[in-house]
Amino acid sequence: MRGKTMKNHLRLLLMAAILAMLLFGCAQSSDSQENPEETQGGFEIEAVTDEMDVEDAETESEEENESEKETEEAEQEGAFAQTDLAEPIRIWGVVTDAYEGVIVVDNQSEVSSSGEMELIIGDETYVLDASTGLPVLLDEVETGSFEAYLGAEMTMSLPPQTTPYMVIVNIPEDSRTPQYAIAAEVTEEDDGSLTLTATDGRVYGISDSAQITPYLTKNIVTMDDIRVGISCLIWADDENTAETVMIFAQ
């Protein structure tokens, strides 16, 4: 009788253990359904999503960098264009002296520094004869009228000093001085002539009868070589119609 009771007791314990295991398994299944992101499949989806977010961020960063680079290049191109077409400062007056590396002038224009000024002649400065457009040595510079084209830099010394782009000297009395111009706009007219607008706003008409010459070369130049950006010396009549255009090499 006692042995039978023990068997019944063991059977009850076994059934209780089985029931507990079943309940524990159901609880795990329920947790998995309520939190699918904690399952293996959930982790895989989350990992793939994270990788896509990283790739999208990298792509956006590369596009932004490329856009910034293109903007910088455009700004640099714009800066270079502005430099190429920079407007020189035109002054005029009287040459009072000239010696090694310096032309002393009395600036009678209302721009830049009026009065006495020293023009420092650098290696790239053109000193040209007003009649021929050819280079003039400093010991050949005559006292009398001049025109010069300056950059923006000038010393605060007395007298002030600056290095010009060009100085036109030996200007005959009662004659028109040739004008240095950088072409900001060139328009072809119906009759085949050209209208050249310089960076300082001066406007010149150039007909097919105008003489087109190069500066100090034997190159052949024509009307087709007159285009935006060129620098030239223009001898014009009272109506600003060019008689001769001397083109400088770029």
Side-chain angles (χ1 to χ4, degrees), residues 16-31:
I18 293 172
L19 180 60
M21 291 175 65
L22 291 173
L23 291 173
F24 181 77
C26 291
Q28 283 189 326
S29 176
S30 176
D31 290 341

Side-chain angles (χ1 to χ4, degrees), residues 114-250:
S114 298
E116 186 177 3
M117 180 188 300
E118 292 184 353
L119 304 180
I120 308 302
I121 307 305
D123 293 337
E124 297 182 358
T125 301
Y126 295 100
V127 181
L128 304 180
D129 182 88
S131 299
T132 64
L134 297 177
V136 176
L137 299 176
L138 290 188
D139 59 7
E140 298 173 340
V141 174
E142 302 171 359
T143 57
S145 299
F146 84 97
E147 286 195 11
Y149 295 83
L150 316 179
E153 295 183 0
M154 180 173 294
T155 68
M156 300 300 292
S157 61
L158 292 175
Q161 297 178 338
T162 185
T163 300
Y165 297 131
M166 178 179 294
V167 186
I168 300 171
V169 296
N170 300 351
I171 302 173
E173 293 184 6
D174 302 324
S175 68
R176 289 178 62 85
T177 306
Q179 303 296 297
Y180 177 62
I182 300 175
E185 182 178 350
V186 177
T187 304
E188 184 175 0
E189 307 298 342
D190 293 339
D191 60 0
S193 66
L194 301 178
T195 298
L196 184 152
T197 303
T199 54
D200 61 2
R202 290 176 294 170
V203 179
Y204 302 91
I206 305 173
S207 69
D208 56 6
S209 63
Q211 182 180 7
I212 313 298
T213 64
Y215 175 73
L216 292 186
T217 71
K218 294 182 179 180
N219 295 336
I220 297 176
V221 291
T222 66
M223 296 272 282
D224 293 336
D225 295 294
I226 300 175
R227 55 186 181 274
V228 172
I230 67 159
S231 56
C232 57
L233 202 60
I234 300 176
W235 285 261
D237 60 19
D238 292 339
E239 296 179 353
N240 257 16
T241 299
E243 298 171 347
T244 301
V245 180
M246 178 180 286
I247 300 176
F248 295 90
Q250 300 298 302

